[in-house]
Coordinates of all heavy atoms in Angstrom, one line a residue:
I1 N 130.2 78.9 41.0 CA 128.9 78.2 41.0 C 127.8 79.2 41.5 O 126.7 79.2 41.0 CB 129.0 77.0 42.0 CG1 130.0 76.0 41.4 CG2 127.6 76.4 42.2 CD1 129.5 75.4 40.1
I2 N 128.1 79.9 42.6 CA 127.2 80.9 43.1 C 126.9 82.0 42.0 O 125.7 82.3 41.8 CB 127.8 81.6 44.3 CG1 127.9 80.7 45.5 CG2 126.9 82.8 44.7 CD1 126.6 80.2 46.1
A3 N 127.9 82.5 41.3 CA 127.7 83.5 40.3 C 126.8 83.0 39.2 O 125.9 83.7 38.7 CB 129.0 83.9 39.8
E4 N 127.1 81.7 38.7 CA 126.2 81.2 37.7 C 124.8 81.0 38.1 O 123.9 81.3 37.3 CB 126.8 79.8 37.3 CG 128.1 79.8 36.5 CD 128.7 78.5 36.3 OE1 128.1 77.5 36.8 OE2 129.8 78.4 35.7
G5 N 124.6 80.6 39.3 CA 123.2 80.5 39.8 C 122.5 81.8 39.9 O 121.3 81.9 39.6
V6 N 123.2 82.8 40.4 CA 122.6 84.1 40.6 C 122.2 84.7 39.2 O 121.1 85.2 39.0 CB 123.6 85.1 41.3 CG1 123.2 86.5 41.1 CG2 123.8 84.7 42.7
V7 N 123.1 84.6 38.2 CA 122.8 85.1 36.9 C 121.7 84.4 36.2 O 120.8 85.0 35.7 CB 124.1 85.0 36.0 CG1 123.8 85.3 34.5 CG2 125.2 85.9 36.5
E8 N 121.7 83.0 36.3 CA 120.6 82.2 35.7 C 119.2 82.6 36.4 O 118.2 82.8 35.7 CB 120.9 80.8 35.9 CG 119.9 79.9 35.2 CD 120.3 78.4 35.3 OE1 121.5 78.1 35.3 OE2 119.4 77.5 35.4
A9 N 119.2 82.7 37.7 CA 118.0 83.0 38.4 C 117.5 84.4 38.1 O 116.3 84.6 37.9 CB 118.2 82.8 39.9
A10 N 118.4 85.3 38.1 CA 118.0 86.7 37.8 C 117.4 86.9 36.5 O 116.5 87.7 36.3 CB 119.3 87.6 38.0
K11 N 118.0 86.2 35.5 CA 117.4 86.2 34.1 C 116.0 85.6 34.0 O 115.1 86.0 33.3 CB 118.4 85.6 33.1 CG 119.6 86.4 32.9 CD 120.6 85.8 31.9 CE 121.8 86.7 31.7 NZ 122.8 86.0 30.7
E12 N 115.9 84.4 34.7 CA 114.6 83.7 34.7 C 113.5 84.5 35.3 O 112.3 84.4 34.8 CB 114.8 82.4 35.4 CG 115.4 81.3 34.6 CD 115.3 79.9 35.3 OE1 114.2 79.6 35.9 OE2 116.3 79.1 35.2
V13 N 113.7 85.2 36.4 CA 112.6 85.9 37.1 C 112.5 87.3 36.7 O 111.7 88.1 37.2 CB 112.9 85.8 38.6 CG1 112.9 84.3 39.1 CG2 114.1 86.5 39.1
N14 N 113.4 87.8 35.7 CA 113.4 89.2 35.3 C 113.5 90.1 36.5 O 112.7 90.9 36.9 CB 112.0 89.5 34.6 CG 112.1 90.8 33.9 OD1 113.2 91.3 33.5 ND2 110.9 91.4 33.6
L15 N 114.7 90.0 37.2 CA 115.0 90.7 38.4 C 114.7 92.2 38.3 O 115.1 92.9 37.4 CB 116.5 90.5 38.7 CG 116.9 91.1 40.1 CD1 116.3 90.4 41.2 CD2 118.5 91.0 40.2
S16 N 113.9 92.7 39.3 CA 113.5 94.1 39.3 C 113.9 94.8 40.6 O 113.5 95.9 40.8 CB 112.0 94.2 39.0 OG 111.3 93.5 40.0
V17 N 114.6 94.1 41.5 CA 115.0 94.8 42.7 C 116.6 94.8 42.8 O 117.2 94.1 42.1 CB 114.5 94.0 44.0 CG1 113.0 93.9 44.0 CG2 115.1 92.5 44.0
P18 N 117.1 95.8 43.5 CA 118.6 95.9 43.6 C 119.2 94.6 44.1 O 118.7 93.9 45.0 CB 118.8 97.0 44.6 CG 117.5 97.8 44.6 CD 116.4 96.8 44.4
L19 N 120.4 94.3 43.5 CA 121.1 93.1 43.9 C 122.6 93.5 44.2 O 123.3 94.0 43.4 CB 121.1 92.1 42.8 CG 122.0 90.8 42.9 CD1 121.6 90.0 44.2 CD2 121.9 90.0 41.7
V20 N 123.0 93.2 45.4 CA 124.4 93.4 45.8 C 125.0 92.0 46.1 O 124.5 91.2 46.8 CB 124.5 94.3 47.1 CG1 126.0 94.4 47.5 CG2 124.0 95.7 46.8
V21 N 126.2 91.8 45.5 CA 126.9 90.5 45.6 C 128.3 90.7 46.2 O 129.1 91.5 45.6 CB 127.0 89.7 44.3 CG1 127.7 88.4 44.5 CG2 125.6 89.5 43.7
R22 N 128.6 90.0 47.2 CA 130.0 90.1 47.8 C 130.5 88.6 47.7 O 130.0 87.7 48.3 CB 130.0 90.6 49.2 CG 131.4 90.6 49.9 CD 131.5 89.5 50.8 NE 132.8 89.5 51.5 CZ 133.1 88.8 52.6 NH1 132.2 88.1 53.2 NH2 134.3 88.9 53.2
L23 N 131.6 88.4 46.9 CA 132.2 87.1 46.8 C 133.6 87.2 47.3 O 134.3 88.2 47.1 CB 132.2 86.7 45.3 CG 130.9 86.5 44.6 CD1 131.2 86.2 43.1 CD2 130.1 85.5 45.2
E24 N 134.0 86.1 48.0 CA 135.4 86.0 48.5 C 135.7 84.5 48.6 O 134.9 83.7 49.0 CB 135.5 86.7 49.8 CG 137.0 86.9 50.2 CD 137.8 87.7 49.2 OE1 137.6 88.9 49.1 OE2 138.7 87.0 48.6
G25 N 136.9 84.1 48.2 CA 137.3 82.8 48.4 C 137.6 82.0 47.1 O 138.1 82.6 46.1
T26 N 137.3 80.7 47.1 CA 137.6 79.9 45.9 C 137.0 80.3 44.6 O 135.8 80.6 44.6 CB 137.2 78.4 46.2 OG1 137.7 78.0 47.5 CG2 137.6 77.5 45.1
N27 N 137.8 80.5 43.6 CA 137.4 80.9 42.2 C 136.7 82.3 42.3 O 135.7 82.5 41.5 CB 136.4 79.9 41.6 CG 137.2 78.6 41.2 OD1 138.4 78.5 41.4 ND2 136.4 77.7 40.7
V28 N 137.1 83.2 43.2 CA 136.4 84.5 43.3 C 136.6 85.3 42.0 O 135.6 86.0 41.6 CB 137.0 85.3 44.5 CG1 138.4 85.6 44.4 CG2 136.2 86.5 44.7
D29 N 137.8 85.3 41.3 CA 137.9 86.1 40.1 C 137.0 85.6 39.0 O 136.4 86.4 38.3 CB 139.4 86.0 39.7 CG 140.3 86.7 40.6 OD1 139.8 87.6 41.4 OD2 141.5 86.4 40.7

């Protein structure tokens, strides 16, 4: 869910700053 939100938001705002994501836990793969 987090990953989908991050991707959707990054595409909407045309992300231009570095993004680091650390995921761990449920459905991490």
Side-chain angles (χ1 to χ4, degrees):
I1 295 294
I2 293 290
E4 288 172 358
V6 167
V7 170
E8 185 175 327
K11 289 179 177 179
E12 279 191 38
V13 300
N14 192 22
L15 184 66
S16 59
V17 298
L19 170 62
V20 175
V21 179
R22 179 256 183 164
L23 299 177
E24 191 59 71
T26 306
N27 289 359
V28 62
D29 293 335

